[in-house]
């Protein structure tokens, strides 16, 4: 596309639309019809520029104009319920689904570290002696691990769990501004802790206690942490390798997607916190508690796949509606 020729051919249309938008409260009936027609025409221009040009300045200008024209045509703000429904059926699931490769890779590496450290700890009493005294290890496997889930009132425990897990996820999100470099270390620390505890429990013949208390809430909890790490590292990689689009445009889009993921994960972690406080320490048989955890995990993954695929087919990216295509500058 010859951008200069395109601008020359259509700039009068853009100027007219901008004029009508500025006078939107004082338009005649004919001018309202003209506003709608020009809005549709300029939306087409924007689509053409996006597909055939990498001129981020022009794309940003037309995006802003189309967004303001749409607000003038349809009203300044969508109802709150519409924004809420869009977030949970479009913005959050499509961000999660688009990051599935990063998400899966994060999970595979995390569990590989857990298994390796767990086997190492379980198979070496020298390693166990270096970690703690025999008395402390015995107290952990026979009392501390199980009592952690039952010694506190469910309400306060759920809140504490939610805050702790949200903090881990928040670190992964926040470290995206550092190109995601610290995120693997945060995840490694959590994997190492889980591997050490698992190794000690398995070596003491408490594998049934370990999995019976971890699986009901841990599947959903770890899935949320993996997703947080995935979107954080993906944003960092965007800065390094933005592809064939302007770095500012891709960074702005991915940055807003990360914010959507952070908000959605707070809700997911709230559910896992409730499971940890109410289901994990409950007197239900182990197979039922594990069944609840598996059902919650399957429900979440099904939700992401269903709504994520649907949103991608509709051309959604997880970005806000009518968001600018470049990072605003002063």
């Amino acid at each position: 596309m010859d951008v200069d020729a395109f601008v020359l051919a259509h700039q009068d249309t853009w100027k007219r639309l901008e004029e009508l938008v500025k006078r939107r409260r004082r338009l005649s009936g004919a001018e309202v019809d003209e506003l709608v027609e020009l809005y549709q025409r300029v939306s087409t221009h924007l689509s053409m520029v996006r597909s055939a040009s990498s001129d981020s300045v022009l794309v940003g200008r037309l995006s802003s104009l189309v967004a303001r024209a749409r607000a003038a045509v349809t009203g300044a703000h969508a109802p709150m319920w519409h924004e809420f429904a869009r977030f949970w059926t479009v913005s959050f699931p499509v961000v999660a689904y688009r990051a599935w490769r990063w998400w899966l890779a994060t999970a595979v590496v995390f569990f590989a570290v857990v298994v390796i450290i767990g086997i190492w700890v379980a198979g070496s009493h020298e390693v166990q002696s270096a970690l703690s005294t025999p008395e402390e290890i015995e107290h952990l496997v026979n009392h501390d691990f199980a009592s952690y889930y039952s010694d506190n009132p469910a309400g306060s425990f759920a809140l504490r769990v939610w805050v702790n897990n949200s903090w881990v996820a928040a670190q992964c999100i926040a470290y995206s501004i550092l190109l995601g470099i610290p995120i693997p270390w945060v995840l490694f620390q959590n994997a190492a802790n889980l591997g050490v505890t698992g190794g000690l429990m398995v070596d003491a013949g408490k594998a049934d206690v370990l999995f019976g208390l971890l699986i009901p809430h841990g599947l959903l909890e770890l899935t949320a942490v993996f997703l947080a790490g995935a979107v954080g590292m993906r944003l960092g990689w965007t800065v390094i390798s933005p592809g064939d689009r302007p770095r500012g445009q891709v960074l702005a889009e991915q940055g807003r997607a990360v914010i959507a993921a952070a908000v959605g994960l707070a809700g997911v972690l709230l559910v896992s916190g409730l499971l940890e406080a109410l289901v994990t320490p409950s007197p239900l048989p182990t197979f039922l508690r594990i069944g609840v955890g598996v059902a919650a995990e399957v429900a979440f993954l099904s939700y992401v796949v269903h709504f994520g695929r649907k949103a991608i087919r509709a051309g959604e990216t997880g970005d806000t509606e009518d968001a600018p295509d470049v990072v605003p500058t002063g």
Side-chain angles (χ1 to χ4, degrees):
M1 173 186 289
D2 186 331
V3 175
D4 293 334
F6 189 84
V7 171
L8 187 62
H10 299 293
Q11 63 180 352
D12 290 341
T13 299
W14 303 341
K15 288 180 180 179
R16 177 57 177 167
L17 178 59
E18 188 162 9
E19 176 187 343
L20 293 174
V21 169
K22 289 180 179 178
R23 296 193 298 106
R24 60 185 179 276
R25 300 185 185 280
R26 303 186 304 276
L27 299 180
S28 65
E31 287 175 328
V32 170
D33 292 339
E34 184 184 6
L35 171 64
V36 174
E37 180 185 350
L38 292 181
Y39 161 65
Q40 295 172 336
R41 191 182 306 173
V42 177
S43 295
T44 302
H45 295 167
L46 174 59
S47 178
M48 294 170 62
V49 171
R50 277 176 165 165
S51 62
S53 172
S54 60
D55 189 335
S56 59
V57 175
L58 179 58
V59 171
R61 174 189 172 190
L62 291 181
S63 294
S64 175
L65 178 57
V66 168
R68 288 185 288 121
R70 178 174 180 172
V73 171
T74 64
H77 300 284
M80 184 64 69
W81 66 264
H82 170 79
E83 298 297 334
F84 182 83
R86 173 180 165 78
F87 177 82
W88 289 108
T89 59
V90 176
S91 302
F92 176 56
V94 77
V95 168
Y97 188 77
R98 283 165 60 91
W100 75 266
R101 291 181 179 85
W102 289 83
W103 192 3
L104 180 60
T106 300
V108 169
V109 174
F110 183 94
F111 283 120
V113 171
V114 171
V115 170
I116 291 171
I117 293 179
I119 293 174
W120 181 46
V121 171
S124 173
H125 290 289
E126 289 79 9
V127 173
Q128 295 178 23
S129 298
L131 291 171
S132 189
T133 65
E135 292 76 15
E136 289 173 335
I137 292 176
E138 182 181 1
H139 199 263
L140 168 67
V141 299
N142 291 319
H143 179 266
D144 288 353
F145 186 80
S147 64
Y148 170 77
Y149 298 99
S150 57
D151 281 354
N152 298 285
S156 62
F157 183 61
L159 177 61
R160 189 172 67 183
V161 167
W162 179 67
V163 170
N164 177 72
N165 295 336
S166 296
W167 170 241
V168 174
Q171 288 182 80
C172 293
I173 296 293
Y175 283 141
S176 62
I177 65 174
L178 300 177
L179 304 185
I181 294 173
I183 295 176
W185 174 244
V186 173
L187 295 174
F188 174 80
Q189 288 179 304
N190 284 272
N193 289 335
L194 182 56
V196 168
T197 302
L200 294 174
M201 294 291 289
V202 170
D203 184 59
K206 299 283 186 177
D208 57 334
V209 177
L210 173 71
F211 294 114
L213 291 176
L214 283 183
I215 291 178
H217 67 276
L219 289 176
L220 188 60
E221 175 185 301
L222 287 175
T223 299
V225 171
F226 298 154
L227 178 55
V231 296
M233 289 186 286
R234 187 169 183 241
L235 176 61
W237 183 250
T238 294
V239 178
I240 299 172
S241 178
D244 57 359
R245 292 194 294 164
R247 180 175 277 102
Q249 178 181 343
V250 179
L251 181 59
E253 176 185 299
Q254 291 299 320
R256 290 187 291 268
V258 166
I259 293 173
V263 175
L265 287 174
V268 176
L269 288 169
L270 177 59
V271 174
S272 74
L274 291 173
L275 290 175
E276 188 167 356
L278 301 175
V279 177
T280 297
S282 73
L284 292 172
T286 300
F287 77 92
L288 282 181
R289 288 186 281 112
I290 290 178
V292 171
V294 171
E297 175 74 357
V298 170
F300 176 63
L301 294 178
S302 299
Y303 154 76
V304 168
V305 171
H306 173 73
F307 286 105
R309 281 181 175 174
K310 182 179 178 181
I312 286 178
R313 286 196 295 267
E316 296 285 354
T317 65
D319 206 351
T320 55
E321 290 183 293
D322 301 319
D325 290 86
V326 294
V327 176
T329 58

